[in-house]
Amino acid sequence: DADVTQTPRNRITKTGKRIMLECSQTKGHDRMYWYRQDPGLGLRLIYYSFDVKDINKGEISDGYSVSRQAQAKFSLSLESAIPNQTALYFCATSDPGRLREDTQYFGPGTRLLVL
Amino acid sequence: AQKITQTQPGMFVQEKEAVTLDCTYDTSDQSYGLFWYKQPSSGEMIFLIYQGSYDEQNATEGRYSLNFQKARKSANLVISASQLGDSAMYFCAMRNKNTGNQFYFGTGTSLTVIP
């Protein structure tokens, strides 16, 4: 079984709809992240959480919100989806401690299309 | 300000040859980590190799090695004996403790291995 799972894997929605992307992990990592990937722009950080009580905005948090329901679960919401939020979304986890062990491990991604 | 620069949007290499993918970074921190990830056409992000700023030796992982030149702020990925399965996007990333351990990704290099 995959260590980091994302649901759904693909989603088509309409402008103005609320949508939630979910991420679960079995790695036991405290830190979780949400990124979006657009062609030619690489990955950009939306939100990150270092533990259940900690939520931080990343580079591009406008239009998004998150919820850290448990150590293993981190959800990303688009309250009112717009077409320029069409992208590939990744969840990632990492373990603090030694620098080397804070490598980020990624889920398989969710392809979101907003019409 | 862009922290990671990958200047090669696309590269070609003959099968069994070696290839170098360039990455330069910008930071004033003394403690940081550099990472390379592979993204095949299926979309997942696969961790390849890590180099810590205090590591004296260049990192190696199988056919992957990282040519770390600290003074030049470069962290080039070298893939030896290229295989057809190496065709993918490759992303360089950096993590600084002083920026809250956020990852900054480059825009990626598309590598195509020619039979």
Side-chain angles (χ1 to χ4, degrees), chain A residues 35 37 45 50 90 99 104, chain B residues 37 39 43 50 95 100 103:
Chain A
Y35 291 89
Q37 183 180 24
L45 184 64
F50 283 176
F90 284 104
L99 196 67
Q104 294 195 6
Chain B
Y37 286 83
Q39 186 179 39
Y50 164 84
R95 185 177 67 81
F103 266 43

Side-chain angles (χ1 to χ4, degrees), chain A residues 37 43 90 104 106-108, chain B residues 6 21 35-49 63-64 77 79 82-93 105 108-113:
Chain A
Q37 183 180 24
L43 276 75
F90 284 104
Q104 294 195 6
F106 286 79
Chain B
Q6 294 180 252
L21 306 184
F35 304 78
W36 277 91
Y37 286 83
K38 173 184 179 182
Q39 186 179 39
S41 59
S42 52
E44 71 268 33
M45 293 288 287
I46 303 167
F47 166 69
L48 294 178
I49 196 167
R63 293 186 299 109
Y64 304 109
L77 177 70
I79 305 174
S82 296
Q83 302 172 357
L84 296 178
D86 293 334
S87 294
M89 284 290 291
Y90 289 82
F91 291 93
C92 180
F105 284 84
T109 294
S110 175
L111 177 67
T112 301
V113 180

Side-chain angles (χ1 to χ4, degrees), chain B residues 54-109:
Chain B
Y54 293 119
D55 292 344
E56 295 183 355
Q57 301 290 328
N58 285 345
T60 60
E61 293 285 348
R63 293 186 299 109
Y64 304 109
S65 60
L66 201 152
N67 184 1
F68 181 46
Q69 298 186 44
K70 195 170 183 177
R72 297 181 61 184
K73 296 187 175 179
S74 74
N76 299 338
L77 177 70
V78 180
I79 305 174
S80 62
S82 296
Q83 302 172 357
L84 296 178
D86 293 334
S87 294
M89 284 290 291
Y90 289 82
F91 291 93
C92 180
M94 176 177 66
R95 185 177 67 81
N96 296 17
K97 280 192 173 181
N98 289 349
T99 55
N101 290 308
Q102 293 188 44
F103 266 43
Y104 293 93
F105 284 84
T107 53
T109 294

Side-chain angles (χ1 to χ4, degrees), chain A residues 17-71:
Chain A
K17 294 291 188 181
R18 183 179 187 275
I19 182 171
M20 178 181 289
L21 309 182
E22 299 187 346
C23 177
S24 296
Q25 53 117 345
T26 58
K27 298 181 78 68
H29 290 171
D30 284 329
R31 297 181 173 183
M32 298 187 74
Y33 311 79
W34 275 105
Y35 291 89
R36 66 176 278 174
Q37 183 180 24
D38 299 278
L41 294 178
L43 276 75
R44 293 180 292 167
L45 184 64
I46 305 172
Y47 271 95
Y48 61 104
S49 169
F50 283 176
D51 64 42
V52 175
K53 297 179 182 179
D54 176 77
I55 301 289
N56 303 282
K57 293 183 177 181
E59 181 185 355
I60 53 163
S61 59
D62 288 348
Y64 301 95
S65 62
V66 291
S67 173
R68 184 80 185 268
Q69 301 94 323
Q71 186 204 38

